[in-house]
């Protein structure tokens, strides 16, 4: 199996602060791989090392079969990067942003122009081609940033929080675009702190916290291994708590109580038989959010 | 267009207000070594204002490009490296200044008359003078995370060098001690060379000497600025 990214004991320190603490990664060609973790987990630092922009403090890192420290230029020429901040040129038009970027990859103006048409089509921005970037909505800017990352027809695309800050509709549109990329066989490495994004897009993922990988696998295997099939979310009247010996795990959060049970309905009945009447209840499938909670005792997004 | 406008309107304005004002105070025109004061101050302002602009190009504008805007951060995600970005900034600055200096030259030649083909080299000298100032300041500013010290650099180094590098008055008429200091900086050499070129008196030896000083400052600054660019763009 060919690996697009292979990291061993990869670390990044800023002074005394350890941002990435000896992580191992194996990302296969063609798959979509996610780094899921809360703010400060070390996702961006990892992405910057993989994009060969930031040198690792220690450990080994191979990207597209080349050593990241010796072959940065060659690696970057085959990489597409969507940074956490768009970093578009707001004074240029949509099309000009693509053209200028293509020039960095040594493309001729005419090749760059042809490619720009295709990419604008892909990003559904054809009608905004001449608009100045500062007039675009957040979702459009994000799509333009993705289009820009594709000017060199990269084998590997890195996306750092591709949908953070976007409304649900803009997110869905963006996910569609990423799904199409995946269909085309482009390897994707993305970071997110949205568990639904990781579930939707990723074939495999690692959960990061405090610079370390605390779990890895496919979304379904992680959920199966770390948590129950279903979760009951309860809102309880003031002062009421659930304790005692119960046949399922109970997690008490600030504003709700979670019951981890394979049969949510049975768990809810069990609680009611104890004489507790929740003011609200919801039975749902468990998610990666629950995996993170189970592993760290904290929520991904507060 | 705005580059061309600010490129020659500023110097022209400076020359009119400051230059001729000071010129009327020069009591010994023979000390200038030129036909008249315009022949002295015109080339002085041409190269001197390029030096001034080069200084500013490496202060707030550079910090903005390195830290606040996305263009350079984006460039290092392509096959370009942080060193390419640094080199690109200096080359771009040189081209811009040379271009705007041509506009200034046209105005100057209208005032002083045609003075031979060598005059056409003066804008390039101005461009180099600008970058000989920009490059070492860039070595400093690229290593800064904020602009706290920039007003001091601007007022205590860049502007005084513009005024005292022989722009308006001959350096040799200053006290030896001050003249010695001024001659260590690139501005003086750029101004002298531009002045020689526009007064039909540029000799090969001294010209190459001035050019060498400019290049030493450019290359020296470039070498030192790499660390700042590396830190700002690839940490
Ligand atoms: N250039 C830097 N200098 C110092 N600390 C940094 C730098 N970049 C990131 N960090 C710190 O490293 C930690 C991880 O940051 P980051 O990789 O951006 O996490 P994430 O993307 O998961 O939010 C954070 O605590 C952040 O403050
Ligand atoms: Mg981040």
């Amino acid at each position: 199996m060919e690996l697009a990214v292979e990291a061993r004991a990869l670390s990044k320190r800023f002074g005394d602060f350890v941002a990435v603490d000896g992580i191992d990664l194996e990302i296969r060609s063609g798959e979509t791989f996610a780094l899921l973790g809360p703010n400060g987990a070390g996702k961006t630092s990892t992405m910057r090392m993989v994009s060969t922009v930031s040198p690792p403090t220690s450990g080994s890192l191979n990207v597209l079969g080349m050593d990241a420290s010796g072959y940065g230029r060659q690696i970057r020429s085959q990489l597409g990067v969507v940074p956490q901040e768009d970093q578009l040129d707001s004074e240029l038009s949509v099309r000009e942003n693509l053209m200028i970027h293509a020039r960095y990859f040594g493309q001729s103006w005419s090749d760059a122009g042809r490619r720009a048409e295709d990419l604008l089509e892909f990003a559904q921005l054809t009608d905004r081609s001449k608009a100045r970037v500062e007039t675009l909505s957040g979702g459009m800017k994000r799509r333009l940033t993705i289009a820009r990352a594709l000017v060199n027809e990269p084998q590997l695309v890195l996306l750092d929080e591709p949908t953070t800050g976007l409304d649900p509709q803009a997110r869905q549109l963006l996910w569609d675009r990423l799904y199409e990329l995946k269909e085309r066989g482009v390897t994707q490495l993305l970071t997110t702190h949205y568990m639904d994004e990781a579930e939707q897009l990723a074939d495999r993922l690692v959960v990061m916290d405090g610079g370390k990988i605390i779990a890895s696998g496919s979304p379904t295997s992680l959920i199966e291994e770390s948590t129950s099939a279903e979760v009951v979310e309860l809102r309880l009247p003031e002062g009421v708590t659930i304790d005692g010996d119960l046949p399922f795990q109970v997690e008490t959060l600030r504003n709700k109580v979670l019951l981890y049970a394979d049969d949510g309905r049975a768990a809810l009945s069990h609680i009611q038989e104890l004489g507790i009447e929740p003011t609200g209840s919801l039975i749902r499938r468990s998610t990666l959010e629950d995996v993170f909670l189970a592993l760290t005792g904290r929520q991904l997004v507060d | 267009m705005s580059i061309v406008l600010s490129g020659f309107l500023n110097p022209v304005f400076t020359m009119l207000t400051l230059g001729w004002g000071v010129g009327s105070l020069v009591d010994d025109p023979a000390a200038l070594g030129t036909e008249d004061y315009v022949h002295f101050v015109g080339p002085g302002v041409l190269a001197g204002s390029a030096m001034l602009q080069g200084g500013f190009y490496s202060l707030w504008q550079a910090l903005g490009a390195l830290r606040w805007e996305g263009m350079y951060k984006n460039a290092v995600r392509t096959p370009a490296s942080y060193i390419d970005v640094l080199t690109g900034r200096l080359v771009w600055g040189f081209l811009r200044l040379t271009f705007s200096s041509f506009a200034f030259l046209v105005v100057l030649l209208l005032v002083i008359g045609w003075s031979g083909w060598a005059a056409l080299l003066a804008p390039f000298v101005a461009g180099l003078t600008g970058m000989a100032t920009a490059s070492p300041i860039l070595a400093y500013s690229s290593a800064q995370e904020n602009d706290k010290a920039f007003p001091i650099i601007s007022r205590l180094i860049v502007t005084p060098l513009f005024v005292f590098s022989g722009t308006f008055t001959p350096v040799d008429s200053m006290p030896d001690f001050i003249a010695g200091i001024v001659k260590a900086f690139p501005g003086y050499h750029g101004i002298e060379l531009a002045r020689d070129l526009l007064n039909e008196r540029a000799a090969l030896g001294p010209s190459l000497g001035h050019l060498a000083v400019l290049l030493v400052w450019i290359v020296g600054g470039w070498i030192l600025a790499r660390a700042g660019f590396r830190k700002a763009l690839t940490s």
Side-chain angles (χ1 to χ4, degrees):
Chain A
M1 176 68 65
E2 201 187 323
L3 293 178
V5 178
E6 185 178 15
R8 295 267 169 262
L10 186 64
S11 295
K12 182 75 192 184
R13 276 199 305 275
F14 297 104
D16 289 339
F17 183 80
V18 183
V20 179
D21 194 359
I23 63 170
D24 292 340
L25 289 174
E26 279 190 5
I27 300 168
R28 301 171 196 143
S29 282
E31 78 176 334
T32 299
F33 194 100
L35 311 179
L36 175 69
N39 279 331
K43 303 184 297 296
T44 297
S45 304
T46 304
M47 294 296 257
R48 285 175 58 80
M49 288 192 279
V50 174
S51 65
T52 78
V53 163
S54 158
T57 310
S58 62
S60 76
L61 176 61
N62 266 270
V63 182
L64 300 171
M66 291 173 275
D67 177 32
S69 54
Y71 294 88
R73 210 182 272 268
Q74 289 87 334
I75 291 169
R76 288 196 299 279
S77 73
Q78 297 173 48
L79 223 56
V81 183
V82 176
Q84 192 168 341
E85 317 286 338
D86 289 320
Q87 284 159 357
L88 293 161
D89 198 323
S90 59
E91 287 173 16
L92 297 182
S93 73
V94 167
R95 192 167 185 278
E96 285 163 346
N97 264 276
L98 298 179
M99 300 288 287
I100 298 291
H101 196 71
R103 296 286 293 166
Y104 282 117
F105 289 89
Q107 295 178 15
S108 69
W109 286 108
S110 59
D111 285 350
R114 266 194 300 278
R115 185 98 186 108
E117 303 308 321
D118 293 347
L119 289 170
L120 288 171
E121 189 80 30
F122 171 81
Q124 298 169 350
L125 288 169
T126 305
D127 55 338
R128 306 305 296 260
S129 166
K130 293 197 173 63
R132 272 161 65 101
V133 164
E134 56 188 9
T135 67
L136 300 185
S137 71
M140 290 176 177
K141 281 186 188 157
R142 218 55 190 139
R143 288 190 332 256
L144 176 57
T145 307
I146 291 174
R148 184 183 65 182
L150 301 176
V151 295
N152 56 326
E153 305 195 35
Q155 297 180 28
L156 170 64
V157 178
L158 310 179
L159 303 118
D160 198 354
E161 305 208 8
T163 67
T164 298
L166 300 187
D167 60 58
Q169 215 178 338
R171 275 180 98 194
Q172 190 58 53
L173 191 53
L174 215 120
W175 284 354
D176 287 347
R177 302 297 81 203
L178 298 185
Y179 203 75
E180 189 178 327
L181 270 189
K182 182 183 165 69
E183 298 279 275
R184 294 185 192 176
V186 175
T187 314
Q188 296 177 54
L189 169 58
L190 64 94
T191 78
T192 182
H193 57 243
Y194 298 124
M195 55 83 199
D196 56 337
E197 185 155 278
E199 276 184 329
Q200 283 274 334
L201 297 173
D203 299 312
R204 292 193 307 138
L205 64 112
V206 294
V207 181
M208 284 185 79
D209 190 37
K212 290 197 168 75
I213 290 176
I214 55 173
S216 62
S218 68
T220 40
S221 72
L222 273 172
I223 291 167
E224 275 170 21
E225 282 164 25
S226 321
T227 181
S228 56
E230 292 187 330
V231 179
V232 186
E233 294 196 8
L234 298 178
R235 288 181 201 284
L236 297 178
E238 197 86 34
V240 176
T241 54
I242 298 179
D243 35 35
D245 204 14
L246 294 167
F248 43 79
Q249 204 194 324
V250 179
E251 190 81 52
T252 305
L253 301 177
R254 250 197 323 261
N255 53 357
K256 61 189 172 190
V257 174
L258 304 182
L259 312 179
Y260 288 97
D262 287 331
D263 183 347
R265 202 171 286 277
L268 185 56
S269 310
H270 193 111
I271 291 294
Q272 285 163 331
E273 279 160 23
L274 294 176
I276 297 169
E277 268 315 315
T279 54
S281 67
L282 167 76
I283 301 172
R284 59 168 174 79
R285 222 164 45 83
S286 61
T287 66
L288 288 170
E289 181 81 48
D290 303 304
V291 172
F292 188 78
L293 186 65
L295 292 170
T296 65
R298 289 181 288 118
Q299 285 174 286
L300 257 177
V301 192
D302 282 309
Chain B
M1 198 57 212
S2 66
I3 297 173
V4 179
L5 278 182
S6 66
F8 80 78
L9 280 187
N10 284 340
V12 166
F13 198 68
T14 312
M15 190 167 79
L16 286 175
T17 54
L18 259 167
W20 277 316
V22 176
S24 64
L25 300 176
V26 175
D27 45 6
D28 180 14
L32 298 173
T34 55
E35 202 175 308
D36 54 27
Y37 191 60
V38 190
H39 278 83
F40 181 86
V41 78
V45 173
L46 174 71
S49 76
M51 181 185 114
L52 197 60
Q53 291 176 68
F56 294 133
Y57 185 60
S58 285
L59 291 172
W60 290 274
Q61 295 173 42
L63 200 69
L66 270 172
R67 309 248 168 202
W68 306 325
E69 294 155 24
M71 189 186 176
Y72 288 178
K73 292 188 173 121
N74 184 46
V76 294
R77 294 192 204 99
T78 71
S81 68
Y82 69 91
I83 294 178
D84 297 330
V85 171
L86 165 61
T87 309
R89 179 168 183 84
L90 292 175
V91 169
W92 175 242
F94 168 75
L95 293 176
R96 250 178 57 162
L97 271 182
T98 302
F99 185 67
S100 64
S101 299
F102 261 108
F104 178 65
L105 180 71
V106 170
V107 177
L108 183 61
L109 290 180
L110 288 177
V111 177
I112 65 173
W114 179 249
S115 64
W117 292 103
L120 297 182
L121 293 175
F124 295 98
V125 170
L128 286 178
T129 308
M131 289 310 106
T133 311
S135 185
I137 293 178
L138 192 56
Y140 164 81
S141 62
S142 62
Q144 307 307 306
E145 269 159 30
N146 57 59
D147 61 356
K148 276 198 201 105
F150 286 10
I152 296 178
I153 307 265
S154 160
R155 277 179 218 138
L156 293 187
I157 299 179
V158 181
T159 308
L161 277 176
F162 169 63
V163 177
F164 293 111
S165 288
T167 316
F168 303 110
T169 51
V171 168
D172 287 327
S173 67
M174 297 179 192
D176 284 350
F177 167 69
I178 294 180
I181 293 175
V182 164
K183 286 179 181 178
F185 286 97
Y188 163 81
H189 297 274
I191 289 167
E192 279 299 297
L193 183 50
R195 193 167 278 146
D196 290 348
L197 289 167
L198 280 160
N199 284 284
E200 296 180 84
R201 63 176 195 204
L204 191 60
S207 298
L208 289 179
H210 292 313
L211 214 50
V213 174
L214 296 180
L215 291 177
V216 164
W217 277 94
I218 291 174
V219 174
W222 179 87
I223 289 171
L224 296 174
R226 290 180 306 175
F229 271 64
R230 191 184 64 233
K231 190 156 180 287
L233 296 175
T234 72
S235 66

